[in-house]
Every structure is written in structure tokens, then in C-alpha cells.
Amino acid sequence: MRRTLIAGNWKMNGSFSANQTLLTGIIAGLPVGDAVETLVCAPAPYLAQCADVLEKSSVAWGAQDVSDHAKGAFTGEVSAAMLADCRCKYVIVGHSERRAYHAESNELVAQKAVLALSENIMPVVCVGETLEQRESGATNEVVAAQLQAVIDVLTDGQLARVVVAYEPVWAIGTGKTATPQMAQDVHAFLRSQLAIKSVAAANVVRILYGGSMKPENAKELLAMEDIDGGLIGGAALSPVDFLAIISAC
Ligand code: PEP
């Protein structure tokens, strides 16, 4: 049984006062019960604030990136140990914006996942194809290579602690969403790739869908067999929309 995970990716948005309003709004409106795990991934300067505000709630917090080095002369980088100090439970690695704007390779993303796990932080590994890749029929090949780089460097036990997020690049921030069946097909394929390495891990790894998920489409997407939650960008900045997605589970 995989517990649904609804994760917000705030990207480079927020301020102390806006975060306070957003976080307290989420806490106040959370449905009763523990069927859904809720996570917010905040910019690094606000992780301590998340820890303070969310500490007594059931909402987890995490980061949006982590260095591929453990420590040292890497100006501007944030290490997995620092995220652990901020009590992050999760960290996003390999978001398409980082792959595109910071030229992150599959191997670099895999190294980030290794370092996160070494600090007991669960990596949310993002994979996804561009529109051009989808239209040329390369979707499975692209996401398989992105996932395989991570599979290759982890033990079966470590793999079971990973979260995968399928985020078609053409659906992120565009308002275009994959149809539930399109997403389900890729999720099932990703699970089959995990199962080649470990059936036990494949059964427990949560595969989130991300890409313009909003209250209006969340229910249909989350009803699919292999969609175990959502990674939400724009709609995670509004407590009303984020809570509506949680309620759709
Ligand atoms: C994201 O950035 O991870 C994302 C899914 O964004 P949006 O929901 O805005 O498409």
C-alpha cells in the first residue's frame, strides 16, 4: 500500500510573511486523517521557517535541490547535511528547470540522490520528456535513461526510499496537462523499470505526477493506478488550491 504524497514545489517564490500565511492556511485546512502525506518544498532560506511553523503539524518540509558534493569549497551550494540540519524529510532532485538551466546530467542527479539518502533525506527524483521528445516517440527512452542513472547507483533498500516524479516538461507551468491515461502509461512504464532492479522497491516507490496539476484535474489523475500523488508548482502557492488537491485524493 503506497501512501499518497502531495508535494508543493514553491520554486523561487515566497517571503517570510507570504510563507507564514500559506503555511498556516495549509495547517488550518488539512483534512483529518493520515491517508495523504503533505509536503512543501521551499527555497533554502525559508527551510528554518518551515521547520518552526510546521514542527507540530503533520506537514513535512523539504528542499528543491541539493549539492552533489558533501562539503567544502563550493560557493553557493547547500549540502545534504545542511538540509538534514534543517530537518528536511525530502529534497527534489533533477527538476526539469535544473536540468535545463543548470545543465544537470542524469549522473549528476543520481549523485545528488545518493548524498540525500546518505543524510536520511528522501530524494524526489524528477523525470520527464520535452514536447519534441514526446512527438518523436522518445518518451519512454528519455524517462528510462533518467531513472536508470539513479537505479544504477542505489541498493534495493535505498531505491525503496526514493520518490519518483513524472513531470512532462511540456506540461510544467503551461496549463497543459497530460491526460490521466497518458500519465498512467508512463507511470506504469517507470514502475516496470524499477521492478527490473527490485520488485519489492517497485511496489513501494511512489510515483508522483507533476505538470499543471490543479483542483480541476487532480481527482482524475490521482485515481489512476500508478499515480501515487502529485508534485505541484503554481497551485501550491495558494492554500485554497493546494488543500483542494489534497482533498481530491
Ligand atoms: C513543477 O514545477 O514541479 C510543476 C509541476 O509546476 P506546475 O504545477 O506549475 O506545472
Side-chain angles (χ1 to χ4, degrees):
M1 186 60 191
R2 296 181 294 268
R3 187 173 173 213
T4 303
L5 175 61
I6 297 296
N9 173 16
W10 293 0
K11 310 196 189 200
M12 199 171 68
N13 293 295
S15 65
F16 281 122
S17 68
N19 303 345
Q20 190 73 21
T21 307
L22 178 53
L23 293 171
T24 51
I26 293 169
I27 294 170
L30 266 191
V32 185
D34 59 3
V36 179
E37 183 178 5
T38 306
L39 165 68
V40 293
C41 294
Y46 300 126
L47 291 171
Q49 180 189 19
C50 289
D52 275 354
V53 178
L54 298 174
E55 186 165 44
K56 294 195 171 65
S57 80
S58 63
V59 180
W61 58 95
Q64 299 172 11
D65 185 34
V66 64
S67 177
D68 59 318
H69 298 279
K71 64 186 281 200
F74 300 100
T75 303
E77 295 279 284
V78 176
S79 72
M82 292 170 188
L83 299 184
D85 250 358
C86 293
R87 291 175 284 145
C88 288
K89 190 170 175 188
Y90 294 92
V91 60
I92 297 171
V93 295
H95 190 281
S96 62
E97 287 153 13
R98 296 217 51 95
R99 291 181 189 265
Y101 307 145
H102 301 271
E104 293 197 358
S105 66
N106 295 343
E107 291 68 32
L108 181 110
V109 172
Q111 173 64 4
K112 291 182 174 199
V114 168
L115 286 174
L117 286 163
S118 75
E119 293 292 339
N120 215 16
I121 297 170
M122 289 182 268
V124 179
V125 179
C126 299
V127 301
E129 81 287 3
T130 63
L131 187 57
E132 198 185 2
Q133 288 164 336
R134 172 161 283 269
E135 287 176 348
S136 67
T139 297
N140 284 2
E141 187 192 325
V142 169
V143 298
Q146 291 170 333
L147 183 60
Q148 193 61 44
V150 175
I151 292 174
D152 283 345
V153 293
L154 300 184
T155 64
D156 293 5
Q158 287 174 319
L159 189 60
R161 305 205 67 228
V162 164
V163 173
V164 176
Y166 169 56
E167 298 208 308
V169 178
W170 48 270
I172 296 179
T174 59
K176 292 183 192 151
T177 320
T179 64
Q181 193 56 55
M182 275 161 84
Q184 165 60 27
D185 290 347
V186 180
H187 282 228
F189 172 71
L190 290 168
R191 203 176 302 286
S192 74
Q193 296 301 109
L194 293 166
I196 295 170
K197 164 92 173 195
S198 162
V199 173
N203 285 336
V204 296
V205 167
R206 287 168 297 177
I207 306 179
L208 315 183
Y209 170 78
S212 299
M213 189 185 267
K214 34 190 187 275
E216 303 83 69
N217 59 26
K219 200 175 176 134
E220 270 189 308
L221 285 159
L222 294 166
M224 303 308 284
E225 188 181 345
D226 288 291
I227 301 185
D228 306 312
L231 181 55
I232 293 124
L237 296 173
S238 148
V240 174
D241 288 351
F242 194 55
L243 288 166
I245 293 172
I246 294 168
S247 299
C249 295

